[in-house]
Amino acid sequence: MDSELAAALADVKVARSEAPVGVADARALFQQFVIEPHKAFHEALLPPKDTYTVNDYLVPVEGGEITVRCLVPVVEDDRETFPVLVNIHGGGWCVGNIDLDDYALRGWCVRYKISVVNIEYRLAPEYPFPTAVNDCHAALKWTVSNAVLLKADFGKGFIIGGHSAGGNLSAVIAHIARDDPFFKGRRLTGQLLREPATCHYAAYPEQLKPKFRSIIENKDTPPITEEKLVQLIGWCNPSPSDPRFSPLLYPSHEGLPRAYIQASHMDILRDDAIVYAEALRSAGVEVKTDLYPGVGHGVFYDYPTTAPAARARAGVEEALKWLLGRLEA
């Protein structure tokens, strides 16, 4: 393990190891150890308030409403339009909220002149699978229907992305949107998948089982140990082989937008990312990957001041530029 990360991990190991296991306690701990440190780090980097707008809107979904937080750049030419990033936060389908990525996304909005839609989908176990999938699908449709509000030009880029469970949901929604005629002429152009879960551990295809080694090699590596992974998936309660939870199992990945997939070597989900990248490439999808040594899951959230976190953030921002076609030749 990276030495700087090991020292940071030792500071919080006792507090986390003694944590109760109920979902309310899990949410409180996630707020304390993940959301708040990440927000505090990015608060110091926030762009000036007059360089973007931030508004929350309600989106009708089956059985209720969800919130989307929308960020739009402010530029001199009020007629200018922007590419769009739809963000789906992580948290094991059961914890987290739109505050997790909020401040980081405000920086992206201004630096890359991109409109952002940040989805507050409903969480399990109160809203079990496939509620989050359906909420995110509805939010993506809302995004397309509100192009004027977002000053959006989907031809300049239409990206979906997220971390962990958010990466899982993004991969699923990319398939759903590919097949949904609603998006004809307004197709997604990119996927930003950071340490995604892509297959239920009970549904690995037989021929691919030897490739899923991280579920064993990293089963005790925090913050996502095997015990926690099983607990979170249990709260979500999906059917293991349903591709809306295990996007690796979709019959075809052809026609998906190009994808950036980030993985960490000591992450229990490392091979979810690697095997999924291989599956997309085999289907003719353009894929760019990064694999970070010496770190576990979500280092840029849990320990944002460390050098490994800085490297992971830089990789994501380079990937965003790649997906937008803005990398220098």
Side-chain angles (χ1 to χ4, degrees):
M1 178 175 285
D2 177 269
S3 58
E4 185 183 6
L5 180 60
L9 180 62
D11 292 339
V12 297
K13 187 174 183 180
V14 173
R16 287 190 173 185
S17 64
E18 295 176 353
V21 296
V23 69
D25 296 302
R27 288 171 182 164
L29 287 165
F30 195 80
Q31 184 74 31
Q32 178 182 356
F33 288 109
V34 183
I35 295 177
E36 294 304 329
H38 192 246
K39 280 187 64 178
F41 176 83
H42 284 280
E43 185 173 18
L45 305 174
L46 281 172
K49 291 183 178 180
D50 61 357
T51 58
Y52 64 98
T53 63
V54 53
N55 290 286
D56 288 356
Y57 300 98
L58 293 176
V59 177
V61 294
E62 184 178 355
E65 301 176 311
I66 62 170
T67 297
V68 292
R69 180 163 296 163
C70 299
L71 311 171
V72 179
V74 173
V75 296
E76 288 187 10
D77 185 353
D78 193 52
R79 298 167 298 177
E80 186 172 348
T81 56
F82 309 103
V84 175
L85 169 67
V86 175
N87 183 75
I88 307 176
H89 72 79
W93 308 274
C94 305
V95 305
N97 53 55
I98 52 175
D99 288 339
L100 175 60
D101 297 312
D102 185 17
Y103 286 0
L105 292 171
R106 295 183 192 208
W108 290 7
C109 170
V110 173
R111 281 197 296 280
Y112 303 112
K113 297 296 184 289
I114 187 168
S115 294
V116 178
V117 177
N118 191 10
I119 305 173
E120 180 92 306
Y121 57 91
R122 291 171 292 178
L123 300 174
E126 295 89 343
Y127 298 96
F129 176 86
T131 302
V133 173
N134 296 337
D135 285 357
C136 292
H137 187 198
L140 193 70
K141 286 186 171 182
W142 181 94
T143 299
V144 166
S145 298
N146 287 274
V148 174
L149 185 72
L150 298 167
K151 296 188 176 181
D153 182 345
F154 301 111
K156 293 181 178 180
F158 189 13
I159 299 167
I160 192 165
H163 175 252
S164 192
N168 166 270
L169 289 163
S170 297
V172 170
I173 297 300
H175 285 86
I176 292 173
R178 176 198 62 184
D179 300 333
D180 187 344
F182 179 87
F183 296 98
K184 184 177 181 180
R186 301 164 296 188
R187 298 293 183 187
L188 289 168
T189 63
Q191 304 175 72
L192 191 66
L193 310 179
R194 297 175 288 150
E195 300 177 333
T198 63
C199 193
H200 194 294
Y201 58 83
Y204 296 152
E206 194 64 35
Q207 72 275 19
L208 296 178
K209 282 183 178 179
K211 295 188 175 185
F212 282 95
R213 301 186 305 275
S214 60
I215 189 77
I216 298 171
E217 293 174 359
N218 298 328
K219 65 184 180 68
D220 296 320
T221 303
I224 304 297
T225 61
E226 181 183 28
E227 181 180 9
K228 288 184 179 180
L229 181 65
V230 170
Q231 182 183 55
L232 290 166
I233 293 177
W235 283 337
C236 185
N237 197 28
S239 171
S241 60
D242 191 324
R244 294 174 299 169
F245 186 82
S246 299
L248 178 67
L249 303 183
Y250 271 100
S252 173
H253 307 299
E254 292 182 2
L256 290 175
R258 62 180 179 167
Y260 168 73
I261 303 178
Q262 188 179 60
S264 295
H265 191 265
M266 298 183 69
D267 183 6
I268 197 169
L269 298 178
R270 178 195 69 209
D271 295 333
D272 278 57
I274 292 172
V275 173
Y276 192 64
E278 292 173 354
L280 295 191
R281 287 194 181 101
S282 295
V285 178
E286 187 178 7
V287 180
K288 178 181 173 67
T289 59
D290 280 324
L291 176 62
Y292 293 94
V295 297
H297 192 77
V299 62
F300 36 80
Y301 286 110
D302 293 33
Y303 311 103
T305 62
T306 63
R311 288 192 291 270
R313 282 194 302 272
V316 171
E317 296 205 27
E318 283 297 296
L320 181 59
K321 290 189 286 186
W322 174 69
L323 290 171
L324 292 171
R326 296 181 185 175
L327 283 179
E328 295 181 2

